Amino acid sequence: MKRPSLRCFKQRPTRGGRLAALGLLLIFGGEVLAAEAYRPVEDSVVLERLPRLQAADDLTDLRSRLAATPNDLALAVELASHYSALGSAEGDPRYYAYAQAALRPWWDLESPPAEVRLQRAVFLQHRHDFDAALAELEQVLRQSPRSAQARLTQAMILRAQGRYTEASGSCRALLTLADPALTALCLTSINSLRGNLHASYQQLQQVAARPMPPEHRQWAHTALGQMAEQLGDATAAERHYRQALATPRRDVYLLAAYADLLLDQGQPAQARELLADETGADPLLLRLALAERRLGIADWRARADLLQRRFEAARARDGEAHLREGARAALALQDQPARALELASANWRQQREPEDARLVLEAALAAQRPEAARPVLVWLDEASLEDARLAGLRRRLQENPR
Amino acid sequence: MKRLALALLLAVLPTQLWAHKPSDSYLTLSTREPMVEGRLDLALRDLEHAVGLDLNGDRELTWGELRQRQEAVWGYVASRLRLSDGSGQRCLLQPGEYLVAQHSDGSYAALAFASDCPGAAELTYDLLFDADPLHRGLLQVSTAQGTASAVLGPENRSFALAKPSMLRTVVDFIGQGVWHVWIGLDHVLFLVLLMLPAVVGRAGSLSARKVLMDVFKIVTAFTVAHSITLSLATLGYLQLPSRWVESGIAASVVLAGINNIYPILGRRQWALALGFGLIHGLGFASVLVDLGLPSGLLAASLLAFNLGVEAGQLSIVAVLLPVLFWMRDRRFYRRIVLPAGSAGAGILGAVWLLERMA
């Protein structure tokens, strides 16, 4: 209640801020001090290239409409979905944050509408807060048992955690909810990791031959490419990746996977060509640096340093993250096998895909600590995961068990 | 919409971590009494999202475009970056050089600024959180006491720059106490209403000594009463809804006004002061809670504010009393000033009462 007075401004209470550890100062102090401010020589100098978004006009339009009516749930969900899709394609958390901002009126509610809860779950999943995401999804499914998106998200999280049986259960629940091809895609992507690689590959090839929307086809061929790599069939893998790339939808992770194939096949020049100007996304910058190193191009060191600075900047705000990429960079760019092993092992505790296993094995060998690879080897045996890329590594490790 | 649903389905798929770092800004401050100098580096991508930079829509941000938007950019920063001193007063930020800096994840606008801010105590950072909840302001401050860092986020927007000295805090709060009495019309009016009849007795004039004694009793009673409730309420032991408190204060003005004409509550002004003083104290407490007591100097600030309130009241009494005392013998005073003044104040009180009860 306003007191009758001559004041014309309200005074705010004092609140203390939190002081970060001195380590924070050391880490990002370097970042800030190194950033000299300068005046560009002329007006036409391009300072930043913004990502070219496919539906940029739709986005601007939605944004202004939502600004006018921020409490319109349907509009907010639509904008948030657009941003989420961009976030997943670019691997850029800013878009997820924009999605969250669009849903602000409902985001912090104890029991928000199902669509908002679903966005929250997707958001948590991308931050790798898997348990929290699964909890949200359970609630969503209680409210909307027929939500295909929720089921699919649930399946993918369980798959990432290595809980294959439960993941398959979620996939099967999709059968009555969406296009049957989606169920097949879901199941085969899990079964390929638990001893049914060949059968899964065949099955998925048949499914992919049927007509389906271009985004599903992209997913199918990306998955087929990964399975082909596991089978050791590089030619087929390349064919699948190229088909996946033919879709208009840009996907940073697909580019990274294809670049990895090219690098594994001893084709760094093609990898470099594929990744041409891709210095924005960290995984692509990493593979570009790697390709250039193998080609003996001097630039690679500068790129590797830039990548390290990015990891440090990310660490300064959020603590240790980017374990998978960090481990790879430590191993292949920084020549620090001990650090690589440390990061790879920490990464393995969080996720269990073939790439994660491979990192531990490679790092263990490079650091000459084969015993560190044992938990991974045990898990691989139990899960009967087949992967041609791991075979050679496993053999070498088993030769020196120490 | 169908296309969107498909894209949404695929949004699930990569369980890989982000390929980019979330949004950060870099803010450095250095304080050298009374000046505060600083630089804020904001990512061009973030500025594009917040204020719009790409004037020709070609998805390339040039130095020319950034320069053209300088005012808009600065306006955005000035409205959301707040530097304040020990008493919560905002210090003006003067824009300095407008340049560019390269950080690991792209180009940033580097905005220098300075502020003449004696006793700079708190920085509040409100940029971008409403559009990007993952945004963080990475702050680095160097003061006479050393360097400190902090990560400012939506849940943590303020940073305490300096521990205010005891002396400074006490002086500030005494000042606040005095000020809030002077601008608190309802408090002032109540006090004046009590004083109006104090200078006149029922029969004949009162001696100066008697008048002074009476006024002293009134002011003391008022002081004692509101000090008690002010302290209890500020420390959290007493909590009443502000609607009732404000209405009570308005009612006290009405009743004091009526009482001056028809002594329905008796002639012992000090008793009125004591009783209603309890409610007025709660009114002061709400002001004090708004100002915010520094946690380390709670007792000192509370005492200082109290002293300020007393001083404010005494200053009003000191000004008014001689005037009333000089006027008290005139018929004009007894017949007109006293009743009309009381009635007028009572009506004003009634208006406030109606407003606040609503």
Side-chain angles (χ1 to χ4, degrees):
Chain A
M1 173 100 66
K2 287 255 159 19
R3 309 220 47 187
S5 76
L6 308 172
R7 274 182 299 177
C8 48
F9 60 89
K10 190 159 197 305
Q11 294 172 323
R12 287 234 219 116
T14 313
R15 285 205 191 90
R18 269 187 312 167
L19 266 150
L22 190 57
L24 180 68
L25 171 62
L26 291 172
I27 288 169
F28 89 80
E31 174 60 46
V32 176
L33 294 172
E36 287 284 316
Y38 67 96
R39 176 172 288 115
V41 289
E42 53 180 16
D43 278 357
S44 58
V45 171
V46 174
L47 297 173
E48 184 92 5
R49 289 200 165 76
L50 299 170
R52 280 177 193 281
L53 306 176
Q54 256 184 308
D57 292 328
D58 288 348
L59 217 52
T60 325
D61 176 56
L62 275 172
R63 225 184 132 191
S64 46
R65 277 164 60 200
L66 187 65
T69 52
N71 286 308
D72 185 339
L73 181 62
L75 201 55
V77 169
E78 199 183 334
L79 182 59
S81 310
H82 255 110
Y83 277 137
S84 262
L86 275 169
S88 113
E90 297 286 333
D92 192 336
R94 266 188 179 84
Y95 294 118
Y96 288 113
Y98 298 163
Q100 183 181 336
L103 295 172
R104 176 175 309 102
W106 309 273
W107 192 267
D108 288 318
L109 293 175
E110 195 61 50
S111 302
E115 307 97 314
V116 177
R117 226 189 244 281
L118 187 53
Q119 271 306 317
R120 275 191 347 201
V122 170
F123 192 70
L124 288 164
Q125 179 219 355
H126 282 283
R127 290 173 55 178
H128 280 215
D129 195 350
F130 291 145
D131 293 325
L134 286 171
E136 289 278 43
L137 286 170
E138 258 177 74
Q139 289 294 333
V140 174
L141 287 166
R142 219 168 286 168
Q143 282 177 268
S144 322
R146 301 193 57 77
S147 168
Q149 165 84 84
R151 278 284 169 216
L152 188 55
T153 314
Q154 188 182 55
M156 290 298 108
I157 294 176
L158 291 166
R159 176 182 180 268
Q161 290 185 313
R163 291 155 70 176
Y164 298 144
T165 318
E166 293 166 76
S168 298
S170 297
C171 286
R172 267 182 233 110
L174 270 175
L175 208 49
T176 52
L177 303 177
D179 187 352
L182 214 55
T183 311
L185 280 167
C186 187
L187 280 169
T188 51
S189 73
I190 295 167
N191 290 334
S192 63
L193 296 176
R194 43 178 346 198
N196 294 336
L197 182 57
H198 206 81
S200 303
Y201 182 68
Q202 304 271 2
Q203 199 182 346
L204 189 52
Q205 271 196 301
Q206 282 173 356
V207 170
R210 292 187 233 147
M212 56 170 71
E215 288 88 0
H216 288 190
R217 188 181 313 287
Q218 191 181 55
W219 182 20
H221 281 285
T222 309
L224 282 168
Q226 286 169 335
M227 287 185 214
E229 280 195 89
Q230 280 175 255
L231 285 166
D233 188 350
T235 324
E238 178 155 7
R239 196 179 65 239
H240 289 301
Y241 284 142
R242 293 195 85 85
Q243 272 191 279
L245 279 171
T247 319
R249 180 180 175 269
R250 174 184 152 79
D251 190 313
V252 160
Y253 300 104
L254 171 57
L255 285 167
Y258 186 27
D260 278 341
L261 174 66
L262 291 168
L263 287 167
D264 279 344
Q265 295 305 305
Q267 297 177 318
Q270 282 90 327
R272 183 162 178 255
E273 198 187 311
L274 174 74
L275 298 176
D277 287 313
E278 297 282 1
T279 53
D282 296 346
L284 300 183
L285 179 62
L286 191 157
R287 286 152 178 83
L288 184 59
L290 207 48
E292 288 185 343
R293 183 177 192 183
R294 298 211 183 147
L295 289 167
I297 295 172
D299 261 349
W300 82 266
R301 239 179 239 289
R303 297 202 200 277
D305 286 341
L306 179 59
L307 192 61
Q308 280 307 114
R309 281 172 56 208
R310 287 197 192 163
F311 288 154
E312 278 162 25
R315 214 174 295 138
R317 56 120 60 203
D318 277 335
E320 195 68 76
H322 297 263
L323 293 169
R324 186 195 274 189
E325 299 299 308
R328 184 113 183 249
L331 190 59
L333 293 173
Q334 303 295 321
D335 300 327
Q336 292 174 347
R339 173 112 176 102
L341 182 57
E342 191 190 318
L343 290 170
S345 306
N347 181 49
W348 180 252
R349 284 195 279 279
Q350 285 183 4
Q351 40 187 36
R352 301 276 157 107
E353 296 190 20
E355 291 77 14
D356 304 306
R358 182 174 171 179
L359 265 170
V360 177
L361 300 184
E362 285 181 340
L365 275 170
Q368 293 174 342
R369 293 191 43 210
E371 72 281 5
R374 195 167 333 186
V376 175
L377 292 172
V378 166
W379 191 87
L380 288 173
D381 285 332
E382 282 174 0
S384 17
L385 183 112
E386 297 163 48
D387 194 324
R389 299 164 296 184
L390 299 177
L393 291 165
R394 291 171 80 170
R395 214 174 19 250
R396 282 160 65 194
L397 281 164
Q398 262 137 16
E399 274 162 19
N400 332 320
R402 231 200 285 168
Chain B
M1 204 42 205
K2 181 147 191 266
R3 210 188 123 78
L4 188 61
L6 294 175
L8 187 55
L9 281 176
L10 267 85
V12 153
L13 301 176
T15 49
Q16 323 218 11
L17 207 46
W18 295 321
H20 296 256
K21 175 176 69 67
S23 163
D24 287 321
S25 70
Y26 299 95
L27 177 56
T28 46
L29 282 184
S30 69
T31 63
R32 219 172 322 133
E33 255 323 288
M35 294 301 292
V36 175
E37 286 173 346
R39 187 179 116 193
L40 174 61
D41 286 7
L42 284 168
L44 293 188
R45 281 198 60 188
D46 293 332
L47 280 173
E48 161 65 17
H49 191 75
V51 307
L53 298 174
D54 188 17
L55 296 169
N56 62 1
D58 65 351
R59 307 302 289 165
E60 285 186 347
L61 299 175
T62 62
W63 172 232
E65 283 174 324
L66 186 57
R67 277 200 316 110
Q68 277 186 282
R69 296 293 283 156
Q70 181 169 356
E71 242 188 88
V73 169
W74 179 253
Y76 181 76
V77 172
S79 66
R80 288 164 182 248
L81 190 64
R82 182 196 157 102
L83 199 58
S84 45
D85 67 14
S87 66
Q89 195 101 314
R90 191 171 182 162
C91 296
L92 201 61
L93 297 174
Q94 297 292 350
E97 283 199 294
Y98 184 72
L99 301 170
V100 170
Q102 294 296 329
H103 289 261
S104 65
D105 59 340
S107 298
Y108 284 55
L111 301 147
F113 58 89
S115 181
D116 187 353
C117 196
E122 185 184 55
L123 176 83
T124 307
Y125 180 94
D126 263 320
L127 284 87
L128 287 170
F129 299 138
D130 56 343
D132 182 344
L134 283 179
H135 176 74
R136 297 291 181 267
L138 300 185
L139 173 66
Q140 190 181 337
V141 181
S142 59
T143 63
Q145 283 104 12
T147 30
S149 326
V151 177
L152 302 173
E155 312 297 320
N156 175 37
R157 300 184 188 213
S158 298
F159 184 77
L161 288 168
K163 262 198 151 55
S165 69
M166 164 92 93
L167 181 63
R168 175 134 219 151
T169 306
V170 162
V171 166
D172 276 345
F173 274 97
I174 291 178
Q176 291 291 343
V178 172
W179 177 244
H180 281 95
V181 166
W182 285 350
I183 63 174
L185 247 63
D186 43 5
H187 297 302
V188 173
L189 217 50
F190 179 73
L191 205 56
V192 169
L193 282 170
L194 289 181
M195 278 172 53
L196 285 180
V199 294
V200 296
R202 222 173 315 185
S205 291
L206 299 168
S207 69
R209 191 165 166 277
K210 178 92 171 66
V211 167
L212 265 159
M213 275 302 295
D214 282 346
V215 169
F216 177 73
K217 279 199 272 184
I218 293 168
V219 174
T220 307
F222 193 53
T223 298
V224 167
H226 76 60
S227 299
I228 293 173
T229 46
L230 169 59
S231 307
L232 287 176
T234 310
L235 296 172
Y237 295 115
L238 199 60
Q239 260 162 21
L240 283 174
S242 73
R243 189 158 151 255
W244 290 109
V245 170
E246 303 294 332
S247 305
I249 295 175
S252 74
V253 173
V254 174
L255 289 170
I258 295 175
N259 199 56
N260 281 357
I261 306 172
Y262 302 112
I264 47 175
L265 294 173
R267 292 181 190 281
R268 285 181 296 185
Q269 308 292 88
W270 64 267
L272 287 176
L274 192 66
F276 286 118
L278 292 172
I279 303 179
H280 282 249
L282 294 174
F284 282 124
S286 76
V287 167
L288 197 51
V289 166
D290 275 351
L291 287 176
L293 288 173
S295 46
L297 298 166
L298 202 65
S301 323
L302 187 52
L303 187 61
F305 187 76
N306 245 327
L307 285 175
V309 169
E310 300 342 316
Q313 285 167 358
L314 286 175
S315 65
I316 292 175
V317 169
V319 164
L320 210 51
L321 194 56
V323 173
L324 296 179
F325 191 77
W326 173 69
M327 283 211 296
R328 76 198 194 310
D329 279 332
R330 322 235 159 151
R331 278 168 65 116
F332 165 72
Y333 185 77
R334 282 175 198 261
R335 297 279 170 152
I336 299 183
V337 174
L338 187 47
S342 306
I347 290 169
L348 188 53
V351 168
W352 283 336
L353 184 58
L354 286 171
E355 265 178 20
R356 298 174 189 187
M357 287 292 290

